[in-house]
């Protein structure tokens, strides 16, 4: 080891800290939550109008993910509750390499076997298209509600 003499003391140079992948992902998640908490609701609406932000609602004619995805992306879906407590199913086109990142934030994220995984589970009432997250971690998805009065399956 190289040492530096400071006032007759031998001091080893500092080593760079080594973090595990889990520690890095936890820190990233905490930073994103902190950023999201700092954005005021009126700013989110302004950002949505500009197409920049955490929430970007579109009309039905601009659905992002209807049918099969084009390579290199594949269809993924997730069934989860919204802020009101109702269950929704979301469909998105996502590169397989990005799945581990988005799975941290959406535990129910699953690779689909068909082009309409939400409709296959009874969620066939299109509600809106939204973009979750902020650059560089953002994902646009179509949200569907359950059209069965008895309810649809959910985790």
């Amino acid at each position: 080891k190289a040492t530096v003499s400071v006032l007759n003391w031998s001091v080893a140079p500092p080593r760079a800290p080594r973090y595990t992948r889990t520690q890095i992902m936890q820190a990233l998640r905490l930073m994103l939550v902190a950023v999201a908490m700092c954005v005021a609701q009126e700013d989110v609406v302004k950002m949505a109008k500009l197409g920049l932000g955490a929430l970007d609602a579109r009309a039905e004619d601009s659905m992002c993910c209807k049918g099969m995805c084009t390579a290199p992306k594949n269809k993924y879906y997730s069934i989860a509750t919204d802020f009101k407590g109702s269950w929704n199913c979301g469909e998105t086109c996502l590169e397989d390499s990005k799945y581990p990142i988005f799975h941290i934030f959406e535990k129910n994220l699953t690779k689909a076997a068909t082009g309409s995984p939400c409709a296959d589970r009874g969620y066939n009432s299109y509600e809106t298209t939204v973009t979750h997250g902020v650059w560089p971690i953002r994902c646009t998805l179509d949200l569907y509600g359950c059209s069965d009065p008895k309810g649809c399956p959910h985790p």
Side-chain angles (χ1 to χ4, degrees):
K1 277 185 173 179
T3 58
V4 178
S5 177
V6 178
L7 299 174
N8 294 328
W9 293 333
S10 291
V11 179
R15 290 188 334 187
R18 294 179 187 241
Y19 298 104
T20 66
R21 181 173 185 241
T22 302
Q23 290 171 319
I24 293 169
M25 297 310 283
Q26 287 173 343
L28 178 61
R29 186 175 186 177
L30 289 173
M31 287 188 291
L32 289 173
V33 168
V35 168
M37 292 174 67
C38 293
V39 178
Q41 184 64 33
E42 58 271 9
D43 291 336
V44 171
V45 172
K46 288 178 189 173
M47 290 166 58
K49 288 178 181 174
L50 295 173
L52 302 172
L55 179 65
D56 185 10
R58 295 184 177 95
E60 185 170 343
D61 62 342
S62 65
M63 295 170 69
C64 70
C65 309
K66 192 170 186 173
M68 296 301 289
C69 303
T70 57
K73 296 182 178 183
N74 290 299
K75 179 69 67 115
Y76 283 84
Y77 74 98
S78 178
I79 299 173
T81 57
D82 61 11
F83 292 111
K84 300 173 198 167
S86 60
W87 290 93
N88 290 314
C89 182
E91 292 183 9
T92 189
C93 293
L94 189 65
E95 292 179 29
D96 290 337
S97 63
K98 295 184 179 175
Y99 169 80
I101 296 168
F102 288 100
H103 186 62
I104 292 170
F105 303 102
E106 184 54 62
K107 294 296 181 191
N108 297 330
L109 189 62
T110 307
K111 191 171 185 176
T114 69
S116 56
C118 291
D120 296 345
R121 286 155 183 81
Y123 294 86
N124 48 19
S125 175
Y126 174 79
E127 292 182 357
T128 188
T129 299
V130 295
T131 300
H132 291 170
V134 292
W135 186 90
I137 301 174
R138 60 189 277 178
C139 181
T140 302
L141 58 142
D142 294 330
L143 290 176
Y144 297 87
C146 180
S147 57
D148 186 348
K150 295 178 185 175
C152 294
H154 55 269

